[in-house]
Amino acid sequence: MTKKREYTIYKTNEFGDIYIISDGEAIVHVELFADGWEKMNNQYEFVKSDAPLLQEAVKQLDEYFRGKRTVFQLPVKWEGTPFQQKVWQALCDIPYGETASYSDIAEKIGHPKAVRAVGQANRANELAIIVPCHRVIGKNNALTGYAGNRTDVKEKLLQLEQHYRSG
């Protein structure tokens, strides 16, 4: 049986269409890339919706992109292992406009040798921007591993945050 999901699209000039997906109770996915959206269409039955939760997510993303929001206050549902969920919670603790390395996150969650596993959990994050995986960088400050090597998007998100944080 195919799972049903509600979605809406937040349109941006800088990043294109951002797909926001809900299970009716919480935000379960934020997709920045059309190819990711196309892959999900094989897994779920999607219904375009203007449900209040999705409209609130659009409002909060709009505030984020205008520098008016630094923390999201939306119900989210993480689907992952306990380790992944620890990583994702740690990502939410990285302050707006700042970055942390994969090893910083590994240390924070009590698994200092699990740097690669942190990278894999970061990659599995389905709540882009809301769970700010773009704030995680390589130990040498390299912009690594964002959404299939889309480091250009990671860089733009970090620049946006640094612009509003300093201005």
Side-chain angles (χ1 to χ4, degrees):
M1 175 155 67
T2 305
K3 293 182 188 177
K4 289 188 179 185
R5 296 284 195 244
E6 299 175 333
Y7 79 97
T8 194
I9 301 171
Y10 173 64
K11 295 187 175 289
T12 71
N13 291 330
E14 187 76 26
F15 299 95
D17 292 348
I18 297 175
Y19 296 84
I20 307 164
I21 301 155
S22 163
D23 67 359
E25 297 175 5
I27 302 300
V28 296
H29 200 107
V30 177
E31 182 58 55
L32 293 169
F33 305 105
D35 58 342
W37 170 248
E38 291 167 10
K39 287 178 189 172
M40 288 189 318
N41 272 313
N42 297 327
Q43 300 171 11
Y44 300 102
E45 179 183 333
F46 287 102
V47 177
K48 192 156 173 47
S49 174
D50 62 354
L53 173 59
L54 291 170
Q55 292 310 305
E56 181 61 25
V58 165
K59 176 181 171 257
Q60 289 190 29
L61 278 169
D62 187 60
E63 291 168 350
Y64 169 83
F65 283 110
R66 291 184 298 115
K68 306 291 183 199
R69 175 171 294 277
T70 60
V71 175
F72 290 91
Q73 297 175 316
L74 294 164
V76 296
K77 193 175 288 177
W78 291 327
E79 293 184 9
T81 67
F83 179 85
Q84 288 173 323
Q85 292 181 26
K86 277 185 183 177
V87 170
W88 298 333
Q89 183 58 56
L91 300 180
C92 291
D93 295 337
I94 303 170
Y96 179 89
E98 295 183 22
T99 58
S101 70
Y102 294 97
S103 58
D104 291 339
I105 300 298
E107 295 247 353
K108 180 173 177 143
I109 64 168
H111 297 278
K113 295 189 185 288
V115 176
R116 286 186 185 201
V118 166
Q120 292 302 313
N122 202 43
R123 183 177 181 198
N125 173 28
E126 294 185 338
L127 294 161
I129 302 172
I130 293 172
V131 176
C133 53
H134 62 278
R135 295 182 189 152
V136 183
I137 60 174
K139 194 164 190 162
N140 60 357
N141 291 328
L143 299 180
T144 60
Y146 190 72
N149 293 322
R150 293 292 312 269
T151 54
D152 59 319
V153 174
K154 185 176 200 168
E155 183 174 21
K156 286 178 187 178
L157 289 168
L158 291 172
Q159 287 174 346
L160 174 109
E161 290 184 6
Q162 289 164 358
H163 169 76
Y164 285 118
R165 185 169 180 236
S166 63

